[in-house]
């Protein structure tokens, strides 16, 4: 396998320092990185910094007329890159790109390339909210070549709290990895994807609960991958340690069976936090009728304490044996009310033989496919950043997904969904 090739163009903003971390992480994960710095970017970080991190000389406008392999640098770089990232994207570069202008190495490289371009804007809130800047931003995103990540809202270097903060390097990394996988295709555009993630907690009192070790990483990766591929994603999730999900309003309802023209990416993931299986069931049932594709990645409880105390129970009042009550099987319920156009996918976290029980669940819960997921292997299952599985579907396919990151696994699963006859 050849290493993947990513070009990063750094604009003149304080967020430039965060891009150093991104370059370092990409290099450490085996990706070849070439870096362009605009003149203004060099006020914040030096070519030496990025050259050291990427193990390759950095490019600036000084190099514009220095050919590589006897070819102009911007052409060579533009053709070399599989993905071109602009981070931070300033108002000035945004304006130039929106108008197709090219007056430096960065803008010439963009125009001389065909690969997907990932934009990570960063600027002061006043600047970001200017009508002209917003017009340029909307204009640019009309071109399917451009993909966006952020900006987020938070404390800015100008001591103001508002919109304009560059996406975190970890978010940009996820977007790059997605673009490397999909080549920038939005093959889930217009699709509404409903995903459940994380574990549920069945409380006995406000402090104690029956839970499981799920961290929601697989469900979150599915949401990120689907959004990058153009889907409108609703994520119903249990408690997700460390995840920073901004609550967003729900998508507009379909009118007369027709979906309003919306593109998932940039709209972000609609997240619905829940705690218990009953709350997850309610949120899934509410959002199910609108969904085209439903992936139940959550680790849902099978039983809950038969009683709940509003007050914390003193130790001495705790029962020696806890009476339990069953919890509804959400996936089976969805399978029973599924419409022919809907695709329903479950997960089966198993130890030992993973295929036989998964085949049973595929049948019993009336699924289109199930992801048989070993949880007794290193590098797989609960809490791990990596996973391995066997995709089993109603078309009789059993496709093995070798160990990979959870984001890669999410993309493989959507690749399989796209090949289902009924999708
Ligand atoms: N599931 C669900 N509601 C439940 C339990 C499970 O929707 N109350 C879903 C899970 O999200 C998963 C699938 O059903 O997609 C299979 O879950 P799993 O825990 O592997 O199997 P169970 O059906 O609970 O059966 P068992 O525990 O006996 O293996």
């Amino acid at each position: 396998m050849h290493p993947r090739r990513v070009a990063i163009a750094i604009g003149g903003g304080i967020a430039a320092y965060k891009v150093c971390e991104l370059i370092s992480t990409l290099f450490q994960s085996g990706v070849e990185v070439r870096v362009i710095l605009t003149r203004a970017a060099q006020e914040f970080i030096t070519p030496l910094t990025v050259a050291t991190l990427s193990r390759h000389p950095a490019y600036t406008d000084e190099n514009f007329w220095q050919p590589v392999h006897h070819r102009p640098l911007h052409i060579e770089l533009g053709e070399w890159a599989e993905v071109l990232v602009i981070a931070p994207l300033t108002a000035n570069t945004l304006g130039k790109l929106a108008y197709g202008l090219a007056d430096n190495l960065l803008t010439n490289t963009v125009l001389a390339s065909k690969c997907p371009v990932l934009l990570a804007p960063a600027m002061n809130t006043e600047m970001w909210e200017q009508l002209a800047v917003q017009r340029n931003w909307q204009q640019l995103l009309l071109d399917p070549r451009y993909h966006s990540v952020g900006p987020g809202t938070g404390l800015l270097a100008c001591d103001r709290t508002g919109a304009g903060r560059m996406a975190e390097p970890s978010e940009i990394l996820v977007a790059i990895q997605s673009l490397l996988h999909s080549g920038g295709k939005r093959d889930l555009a217009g699709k509404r994807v409903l995903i459940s993630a994380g574990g549920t907690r069945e409380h006995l009192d406000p402090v104690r609960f029956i839970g499981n070790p799920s961290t929601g990483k697989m469900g979150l990766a599915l949401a990120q991958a689907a959004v990058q591929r153009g889907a409108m994603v609703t994520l119903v999730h249990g408690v997700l340690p460390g995840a920073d999900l901004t609550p967003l309003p729900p998508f507009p309802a379909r009118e007369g069976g027709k979906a309003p023209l919306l593109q998932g990416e940039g709209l972000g993931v609609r997240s619905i936090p829940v705690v218990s299986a009953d709350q997850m069931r309610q949120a899934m049932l509410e959002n199910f009728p609108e969904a085209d594709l439903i992936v139940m990645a959550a680790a849902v409880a099978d039983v809950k304490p038969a009683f709940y105390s509003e007050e914390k129970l003193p130790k001495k009042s705790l029962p020696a044996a806890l009476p339990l009550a069953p919890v509804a099987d959400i996936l089976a319920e969805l399978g029973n009310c599924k419409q022919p156009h809907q695709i329903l996918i479950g997960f089966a976290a198993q130890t030992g033989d993973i295929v036989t029980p998964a085949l049973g669940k595929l049948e019993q819960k009336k699924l289109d496919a199930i992801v048989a997921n070993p949880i007794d292997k290193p590098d797989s299952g609960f809490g791990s950043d990596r996973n391995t599985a066997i995709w089993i579907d109603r078309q009789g396919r059993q496709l093995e997904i070798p160990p990979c990151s959870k984001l890669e696994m999410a993309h493989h699963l959507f690749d399989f969904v796209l090949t289902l006859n009924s999708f």
Side-chain angles (χ1 to χ4, degrees), residues 196 277 280 295-303 327-332 334 345-350 357 361 364-365 367 370:
S196 72
M280 182 168 278
V295 189
M296 194 78 201
V300 191
D302 295 314
V303 288
V327 159
D329 189 318
I330 307 170
L331 191 58
L334 299 181
I345 299 184
F347 268 70
Q350 304 289 158
K361 289 171 194 177
Q364 284 152 20
K365 305 196 190 200
L367 310 177
I370 191 153

Side-chain angles (χ1 to χ4, degrees), residues 8 25 35 42 50 53 76 110 117 135 138 180 200 240 303 309 312 317 328 346 374:
I8 299 187
T25 313
V35 185
Q42 292 169 71
V50 296
L53 295 171
E76 188 70 12
V110 173
V117 180
R135 186 191 56 215
Q138 298 306 329
L180 284 173
T200 59
L240 302 185
V303 288
S309 161
K312 184 189 165 195
S317 307

Side-chain angles (χ1 to χ4, degrees), residues 23 49 53 63 71 101 196 231 252 285-286 327 332 342 352 378 395 410:
I23 297 167
T49 315
L53 295 171
N63 307 111
R71 303 180 74 218
L101 302 178
S196 72
L285 288 174
E286 267 167 29
V327 159
Q342 292 180 305
Q395 290 165 218

Side-chain angles (χ1 to χ4, degrees), residues 152-211:
T153 303
L155 179 64
L156 307 177
C158 51
D159 286 335
R160 163 137 194 207
T161 302
R165 191 182 157 92
M166 191 177 79
E168 291 306 316
S170 55
E171 289 173 71
I172 302 177
L173 187 68
V174 166
I176 294 172
Q177 287 164 337
S178 287
L179 289 174
L180 284 173
H181 184 97
S182 68
K185 281 197 303 287
R186 289 186 176 86
D187 43 15
L188 292 175
K191 298 286 182 193
R192 289 174 186 235
V193 181
L194 175 61
I195 297 167
S196 72
T200 59
R201 291 180 177 183
E202 309 308 319
H203 275 268
L204 167 66
D205 66 14
V207 179
R208 304 177 183 93
F209 59 85
I210 300 177

Side-chain angles (χ1 to χ4, degrees), residues 7 34-36 56 59 68 71-82 84 105 109 112-113 115:
R34 301 283 182 271
V35 185
I36 299 171
H56 192 280
Y59 297 114
V68 176
R71 303 180 74 218
L73 175 60
H74 61 291
I75 311 279
E76 188 70 12
L77 261 178
E79 287 179 6
W80 175 88
E82 290 181 87
L84 181 52
L105 181 60
T109 305
S113 61
C115 65

